Structures are given as C-alpha cells and as structure tokens.
C-alpha cells in the first residue's frame, strides 16, 4: 500500500465476528491532556478493507462528551459531521484517504480520548456481525489550526513550525 508514493505498513482494524456495535471494535488513544481554548487537528490515513465503507472518528477532546464524524472511504466524501467538527478528506491515491477533523477544546481535561472505528454506514457505529475491517495508518493529533504533513512521532511530542505556527504532534500509530 502507498500514500503519496511512500511505501507504508498499515494496520488492519477488524471488527470481531458476530459483534454488532462497531464502537466496541476500535482503536483508542487514552489520557490525552487537553487544554480549553486550544485548537486541535485529528488526522488518520484510511482505506477500505472488507465490508466497511466508512471510518468513524469520535473525540472526547472538544467537550466532555463524545463527538462523532464519519468519512466515506468508497467515494472520498465527508459523511455526517458533529457541529463542533470541521472535517476534511483528501485523496492520497491507491484507495487511501487522509481524514481530518479540526476541533476547539471547550474544557481542560486530562483524560482526552480519540476512537477510530470501522463503520458500515454513515452516522452510526451499529454494524452487521460479519467481521468487517479497514486499513489505518499514521493517526496523529496536532495542536494548532494548520493541517500539517504526517509527522512521525515517538514517545514524546514532536514540534514543528508550519507557516509561522508552532504545531505539536502528540501521537501516531506507528510510534
């Protein structure tokens, strides 16, 4: 698989056979320190694998609840979007899309959470129990308002300056 002509090794996020709530088969990043009034960008590369045409992203950083947005991986469009999100999808070639959500935190919390979920249809995490999956790669959370290129991040935050704005990348799935 490639994204922007760069070879990558993606992870396959698979729903357990018989499971009907996609939110139970997800990837989570826990314990993010989130600061009220700060802007963040969540981004991830995703591609269809089996029986799942949507990527669902739920955040617990823009407020105290979970806010959800869906991305259609079969036609490269943004699906149902939470009112606190500004969502974008970019075709990266070979069936890969970079999906992103911009959010402004409205509370300071120490237990921020992001869920990445394979979804069957727009607007719901409820799925049939046929064990569907999607490929994912390069998930990251950036502090700031500028959409930056993918930044490989290790155990601590990476800091870059993009068009004069300092951007901190807090995590990625590749580590």
């Amino acid at each position: 698989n490639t994204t922007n002509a760069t070879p990558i090794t993606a992870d396959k996020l698979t729903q357990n056979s018989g499971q009907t709530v996609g939110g139970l088969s997800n990837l989570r990043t826990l314990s993010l320190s989130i600061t009220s009034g700060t802007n963040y960008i969540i981004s991830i590369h995703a591609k269809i694998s089996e029986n799942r045409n949507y990527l669902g992203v739920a955040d617990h950083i823009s407020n105290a609840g979970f806010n959800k947005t869906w991305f259609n991986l079969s036609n490269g469009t943004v699906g149902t979007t939470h009112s606190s999100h500004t969502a974008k999808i970019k075709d990266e070639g070979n069936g890969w899309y970079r999906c992103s959500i911009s959010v402004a935190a409205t509370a300071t919390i120490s237990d921020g959470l992001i869920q990445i979920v394979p979804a069957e249809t727009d607007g719901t995490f409820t799925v049939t129990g046929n064990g569907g999956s999607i490929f994912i790669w390069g998930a990251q959370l950036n502090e700031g308002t500028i959409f930056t290129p993918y930044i490989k991040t290790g155990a601590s935050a990476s800091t870059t300056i993009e068009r004069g704005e300092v951007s901190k990348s807090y995590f990625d799935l590749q580590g």
Side-chain angles (χ1 to χ4, degrees):
N1 296 320
T2 63
T3 179
N4 279 341
T6 304
I8 60 171
T9 302
D11 293 302
K12 187 175 184 180
L13 184 58
T14 304
Q15 168 195 349
N16 294 325
S17 182
Q19 178 182 330
T20 58
V21 179
L24 296 176
S25 172
N26 60 53
L27 186 64
R28 298 176 183 218
T29 296
L30 301 168
S31 302
L32 298 170
S33 293
I34 303 300
T35 305
S36 182
T38 302
N39 295 305
Y40 296 93
I41 297 176
I42 302 162
S43 67
I44 185 167
H45 293 79
K47 180 178 181 174
I48 292 174
S49 175
E50 303 169 69
N51 302 320
R52 297 296 173 266
N53 294 329
Y54 288 84
L55 165 69
V57 179
D59 86 84
H60 174 59
I61 64 174
S62 52
N63 69 26
F66 280 100
N67 300 322
K68 301 170 187 169
T69 291
W70 284 261
F71 297 91
N72 186 326
L73 301 177
S74 63
N75 66 18
T77 57
V78 174
T80 301
T81 304
H82 189 273
S83 61
S84 69
H85 292 167
T86 300
K88 295 180 183 177
I89 189 167
K90 180 182 178 210
D91 188 339
E92 295 283 334
N94 196 24
W96 283 97
Y97 294 96
R98 187 170 184 198
C99 305
S100 65
I101 298 170
S102 299
V103 299
T106 58
T108 296
I109 54 176
S110 61
D111 63 345
L113 180 118
I114 297 169
Q115 291 180 301
I116 300 163
V117 181
E120 204 165 16
T121 56
D122 185 29
T124 182
F125 288 157
T126 301
V127 293
T128 57
N130 60 4
S133 61
I134 59 174
F135 291 112
I136 56 173
W137 177 81
Q140 65 185 32
L141 173 68
N142 289 83
E143 184 179 310
T145 58
I146 296 175
F147 185 71
T148 62
Y150 170 73
I151 303 165
K152 184 168 176 56
T153 305
S156 60
S158 297
T159 303
T160 59
I161 299 178
E162 188 80 23
R163 295 185 294 246
E165 180 178 294
V166 174
S167 179
K168 294 181 181 176
S169 178
Y170 287 99
F171 73 92
D172 69 36
L173 293 179
Q174 293 302 104

